[in-house]
Amino acid sequence: MAEVLVYVDHVDGAVRKPTLELLTLARRIGEPVAVALGAGAENTAAALAEHGAVKVLTHDASEYADYLVVPKVDALQAAVESVSPAAVLVPSSAEGKEIAARLALRIGSGVITDATDLEAGAEGPVATQSVFAASFTTKSRVSKGTPVITVKPNSAAVEAAPAAGAVEALAVTFSAQATGTKVTGRTPRESTGRPELTEAAIVVSGGRGVNGAENFALIEALADSLGAAVGASRAAVDAGWYPHTNQVGQTGKSVSPQLYIANGISGAIQHRAGMQTSKTIVAVNKDAEAPIFDLVDYGVVGDLFDVVPQLTEEINTRKG
Ligand SMILES: Cc1cc2nc3c(=O)[nH]c(=O)nc-3n(C[C@H](O)[C@H](O)[C@H](O)COP(=O)(O)OP(=O)(O)OC[C@H]3O[C@@H](n4cnc5c(N)ncnc54)[C@H](O)[C@@H]3O)c2cc1C
């Protein structure tokens, strides 16, 4: 069976969920071979094996932490040359997309970014994408070289599928460009204790209807009852009620959670562009004609100041 390379996103050996989702998708195409780089790479093996990696190629060097993406591209290229895989899958983070694009250029292949699903095809893996502000769903495949595909978080369920996960050292020779862009400092972001917006399984968002920064406490309380991330419409961000880092939409972040709850958000096309691929969409809006109701699975026509606290209380009660 053909091998499929999966680029591992991990923090000191702790594998992030989007990588485990990639292993689920990789198994549809072939045998997953994981590539884990940097400090703690070997510690990823147990989690990767549990989720279907037949092999884990590891390499650690200070270059991965000290320089931007090129050392990782060098390593992935070395993995492609040693394995000759059927495809290379990379998580769709900003860094992942840059790595994928550079790798595809290096190995003379095509690249597909932001896939939301992946299936085996007679002529190579077929990727589903949501395009033009989520108004079309396309299916495409790379027609030249080894397909390099980045996949959005939450595109597949994480499924355990124990495999050997044999750790092998990857031989990497860094290119002259590897040390071209040095990391000169790092400032850790203040943690909210909530999941990362683009990876969260549940996102609770607030818009202009929230009517003030102080009222975002209601949105945060609902999010916390569900273990969710908090999102915001551009109107709420532009008003200074919530940070830009939490903006969902065309000029904000693109999210694709299992559940998206929009509160006081009208559903403008630019907002939809960032959340329309969510699996289940719920909206609370006092205007029954609001466009957001065209795309919801469940809609509540009501004042969010009545609905949201009741919902939060009910969820907390049921959690016991
Ligand atoms: C180039 C460009 C890029 C853009 N990028 C983005 C983007 O990335 N993300 C984004 O979100 N927007 C973006 N926008 C802006 C977008 O067009 C909308 O203006 C914005 O999404 C509106 O935000 P909103 O839904 O919160 O506000 P509104 O459209 O004003 O809607 C507020 C909603 O709240 C409801 N409401 C009011 N009070 C209550 C209440 N008490 N209870 C329940 N419901 C209530 C109202 O009925 C209304 O439907 C972009 C626009 C442009 C031109």
Side-chain angles (χ1 to χ4, degrees):
M1 199 187 225
E3 291 171 314
V4 177
L5 284 185
V6 170
Y7 176 78
V8 177
D9 185 9
H10 70 98
V11 180
D12 296 328
V15 180
R16 302 184 71 169
K17 188 167 148 268
T19 300
L20 302 181
E21 295 164 6
L22 287 191
L23 290 172
T24 300
L25 294 172
R27 291 202 303 276
R28 296 182 189 165
I29 308 168
E31 286 192 325
V33 173
V35 181
L37 307 171
E42 291 196 359
N43 300 337
T44 61
L48 298 168
E50 194 191 326
H51 293 88
V54 294
K55 253 189 272 177
V56 181
L57 307 178
T58 63
H59 187 248
D60 186 17
S62 58
E63 278 82 351
Y64 297 121
D66 294 346
Y67 298 90
L68 294 183
V69 298
V70 180
K72 294 170 184 168
V73 179
D74 289 340
L76 214 42
Q77 182 179 6
V80 168
E81 283 162 4
S82 87
V83 171
S84 300
V88 182
L89 306 186
V90 182
S92 249
S93 59
E95 182 182 81
K97 283 189 265 192
E98 187 174 349
I99 290 172
R102 286 173 180 265
L103 176 70
L105 194 66
R106 291 256 194 109
I107 62 176
S109 291
V111 63
I112 294 175
T113 56
D114 287 338
T116 56
D117 202 2
L118 212 54
E119 59 200 290
E123 294 171 83
V126 178
T128 304
Q129 288 166 295
S130 176
V131 300
F132 295 132
S135 46
F136 287 87
T137 298
T138 62
K139 284 188 185 280
S140 37
R141 69 175 171 79
V142 170
S143 55
K144 185 183 166 218
T146 304
V148 181
I149 303 171
T150 79
V151 181
K152 275 184 157 187
N154 293 308
S155 294
V158 173
E159 289 165 10
V167 176
E168 282 181 22
L170 179 68
V172 180
T173 309
F174 291 121
S175 61
Q177 298 90 337
T179 52
T181 39
K182 189 166 173 51
V183 176
T184 56
R186 284 191 168 83
T187 310
R189 193 175 48 195
E190 223 173 274
S191 170
T192 59
R194 299 191 182 94
E196 157 64 27
L197 181 57
T198 53
E199 293 172 11
I202 306 177
V203 174
V204 177
S205 287
R208 202 194 307 271
V210 174
N211 199 27
E214 64 288 0
N215 298 333
F216 257 86
L218 288 181
I219 305 299
E220 290 179 336
L222 176 56
D224 291 343
S225 74
L226 292 163
V230 174
S233 73
R234 177 158 160 183
V237 168
D238 284 353
W241 302 342
Y242 223 67
H244 176 67
T245 44
N246 295 67
Q247 183 178 315
V248 172
Q250 188 181 320
T251 44
K253 288 187 174 150
S254 185
V255 301
S256 197
Q258 297 297 325
L259 173 63
Y260 187 87
I261 308 182
N263 302 283
I265 292 177
S266 61
I269 183 79
Q270 297 88 354
H271 187 79
R272 292 162 71 142
M275 47 65 75
Q276 196 158 328
T277 54
S278 305
K279 306 292 176 295
T280 300
I281 300 173
V282 176
V284 179
N285 196 304
K286 66 181 182 185
D287 175 8
E289 303 296 319
I292 190 92
F293 286 127
D294 294 342
L295 71 144
V296 298
D297 299 281
Y298 302 98
V300 182
V301 179
D303 189 322
L304 72 89
F305 293 97
D306 290 335
V307 177
V308 172
Q310 288 184 59
L311 183 56
T312 307
E313 198 186 325
E314 186 63 31
I315 291 164
N316 285 332
T317 308
R318 287 190 185 216
K319 283 199 309 193

